[in-house]
Amino acid sequence: MRFNVSFLLAPFLFLLAGCGGLVSQDTAKQGEIAPILTSEEAFDDQTFAKPQEARVTHIDMDLALDFDEKTIGGTATLDVLAADLASEIILDSNGLRVSAVTDEAGNALKFDLGETVEGKGEPFTIQLPAQKLERGAELAEGEFAATHRIVVEYMSAPQAEALQWLSPEQTAGGTHPFVFSQGQAINNRAWIPTQDSPGIRQTWQAVISAPEPLNVVMSGVIQGDPEPEGENRHNFRFVMNNPVPPYLIAIAAGNIQFSELGPRSGVWAEPEVIEAAAQEVGDTEEMIDAGIALFGDYRWGRYDMIILPPAFPYGGMENPVMTFLTPTFIAGDRSNNGLVAHELAHSWSGNLTTYSSWRDGWLNEGVTSYFENRIVEEVYGKERAEQEYALSYAGLVDGIQEVGSDSPVTAMRTPDATSPFDTKGFAIYDKGTVFLRTVENIIGRKKFDTWLTQWFDSHAFEPVTSEMFLADLRKKLIGDDAELEKRLMLDAWVYGTGLPENAWKPDSKAFAEVDSAVAAYANVGTLPDIEVWRDWTAAEQRRFLEELPQDLSNEQLAALNATLELSQTGNNEVLFLWLEVALRNEYGPAVQQAERFLAKVGRNKFVSPLFTALNETEWGKPIAQRIYAETRSSYHAYTRGNVDKTLLFKTSAGTALSD
């Protein structure tokens, strides 16, 4: 099938004055504007934008951080490429406080912020300037990098969902405030006036004013040292020369410092955390080399990371050149570094090639999870990779069993009648991983790797769809081989529910010792010796805890903790599993530690299930309500939203909260 792109695909060269050689850019794609896909599968129903009529190609932000008011404000200058008859452009907003819109000469432009749509925000419609920009001398006749330029003066709302403002008490140092953004899925419209859709890729640059002595990082390449501004403030400059989906524009600011890991990588963290952080991510250069060897060039220049305070709601966020990471993955032994491998892998799958519609979440996360496992195999060995694949496979099977194999939320490509944000994580991450492992084993690794490498290369810095992925795979790997097509079951995987019958199962030997120990405990109550437990990998410890019987007595739980020293573990993944099984079984001695954990950690992967475990019993419900009333304000909007639904949490006035 031929995939149409709109007329808005046009070459361009955006010149940045004074940036010198500090700008990271992909020379193979330099001078191109990413296409807008117009197929039915590419349509994004989570944006108000009409990019075939007028689209944003570049954003230039000049913003100031206000920690007292908890706002980001200033100007955003947008380059717009519009059709000949277009008279307006529609942006996305979610609570933006717009004070003025002008052309680049300062002439006022009419604008309107429409009615708010729950969960989506409001359309921000701007009249285009009557006068078009002059065509650049380097462009062919009739071609434009942008036809119009508009300037939006605005401020984010204090409760902007994309931003989390932390008090000094919520940081490791306890002295300075902190702020970070989380753009995915559709949160960046709360602080950036643009077309907030993954299929509308944009380049950007920014000048950010922050109070001294705080440092600022963004998902762009920093340009030189911060410049004094006066009044105890300084300015930071950033550039992203590769077109990215707008959800990948990110910012963080706080008392952070940098530790170099190698020629291409480094890590930022608070001074109190930086040493442990640098030690934990010390394999990053080796991981970058593994990614390049597997699936081609790393096109972003640098790969830096920032370890955020514990309130960060995710394990990691793949913001280009500046991955955001939770401190909860730090275990002291790099046993949770699959997280780093995952976020790095996004530099190919998700950032380089990005779904055009949120309904294709697996194209980012499933492909990345598969890629992650391949990096883990290269860096840490086949045994660890197979164990982590086995955990992923088990999570997929358990998830499907819980919701039913015919549930639409188990489909990798979200059906039209279902919200893309309702699709289960295991269907996006784990099912995508198993799908590609299955294809790899049927096709053959060498042949499959060659194909996947060219997929990334052919669609670099472009939006993609499931339809395109399958069409390319069929054309280049299957051809007219009807038997191979039948064996692969491609449509059943991508569009069907449940788990297809050809799913590639993990090696039964991956957890042979652990599964024997689980059986011994279930049958006669025998626990592994503490020395055996300590010698197990983190994956093996997780496997044991995940396979425990559902119902355990206080005596059994006490023996588990005493023998395996679960409450003393330094691995948060293991600690979480212990607390979950303890709370689910009404084990009182675990409540105090759970309360401390929930007061410190904001990662949704841990927080939501622990509150769910408490809420499942009459014993736990009042405990959950008491703890949540004390901790709720410290959580990100994403985590709060999930726990609010679980606990049906209400204000003292009796009004349901929503975020």
Side-chain angles (χ1 to χ4, degrees), residues 65 67 72 165 171 176-181 207-219 222 224-228 232-238 250-259 267-271 274 305-309 322 324:
L65 306 179
F67 282 87
I72 297 180
W165 302 86
T171 67
H176 299 283
F178 204 104
V179 66
F180 63 82
S181 67
V207 176
I208 305 295
S209 169
E212 297 175 341
L214 304 187
N215 277 318
V216 179
V217 296
M218 292 190 76
S219 54
I222 193 165
D225 295 326
E227 304 163 355
N232 297 317
R233 297 183 69 87
H234 50 178
N235 292 329
F236 297 76
R237 298 179 181 273
F238 303 90
I251 188 170
N255 182 32
I256 52 177
Q257 63 185 49
F258 182 74
S259 178
V267 61
W268 291 84
E270 293 184 74
I274 191 66
M305 298 156 281
I306 178 172
I307 310 298
L308 295 170
M322 188 60 65
F324 284 16

Side-chain angles (χ1 to χ4, degrees), residues 161-384:
E161 289 190 8
L163 304 171
Q164 186 161 13
W165 302 86
L166 304 180
S167 66
E169 294 74 24
Q170 292 175 277
T171 67
T175 303
H176 299 283
F178 204 104
V179 66
F180 63 82
S181 67
Q182 172 56 40
Q184 196 178 41
I186 57 172
N187 293 330
N188 269 355
R189 62 191 65 181
W191 74 284
I192 304 173
T194 189
Q195 294 173 316
D196 190 13
S197 173
I200 310 175
R201 301 179 74 106
Q202 303 148 33
T203 55
W204 63 269
Q205 63 188 59
V207 176
I208 305 295
S209 169
E212 297 175 341
L214 304 187
N215 277 318
V216 179
V217 296
M218 292 190 76
S219 54
V221 179
I222 193 165
Q223 305 298 292
D225 295 326
E227 304 163 355
E229 182 186 358
E231 298 184 357
N232 297 317
R233 297 183 69 87
H234 50 178
N235 292 329
F236 297 76
R237 298 179 181 273
F238 303 90
V239 168
M240 175 46 65
N241 225 23
N242 296 325
V244 296
Y247 72 82
L248 289 178
I249 304 175
I251 188 170
N255 182 32
I256 52 177
Q257 63 185 49
F258 182 74
S259 178
E260 184 175 322
L261 300 172
R264 298 163 295 189
S265 63
V267 61
W268 291 84
E270 293 184 74
E272 297 78 8
V273 181
I274 191 66
E275 185 176 351
Q279 189 282 329
E280 200 74 9
V281 298
D283 296 328
T284 300
E285 287 286 332
E286 189 176 352
M287 288 185 178
I288 297 172
D289 287 338
I292 293 170
L294 285 166
F295 297 116
D297 293 342
Y298 180 80
R299 297 171 181 254
W300 302 91
R302 290 196 59 81
Y303 182 76
D304 291 327
M305 298 156 281
I306 178 172
I307 310 298
L308 295 170
F312 184 57
Y314 298 101
M317 181 62 208
E318 62 271 16
N319 303 308
V321 309
M322 188 60 65
T323 283
F324 284 16
L325 293 169
T326 172
T328 63
F329 88 101
I330 297 176
D333 59 3
R334 303 181 183 177
S335 57
N336 295 328
N337 273 16
L339 174 65
V340 180
H342 182 93
E343 304 309 332
L344 171 64
H346 268 302
S347 302
W348 287 263
S349 51
N351 296 2
L352 195 62
T353 59
T354 311
Y355 45 55
S356 179
S357 164
W358 298 106
R359 296 186 179 280
D360 276 328
W362 78 273
L363 280 174
N364 280 24
E365 299 299 348
V367 178
T368 294
S369 296
Y370 168 81
F371 196 159
E372 165 200 339
N373 193 254
R374 296 291 302 277
I375 292 176
V376 167
E377 180 180 332
E378 291 294 317
V379 176
Y380 298 112
K382 188 172 180 61
E383 180 181 4
R384 175 168 166 178

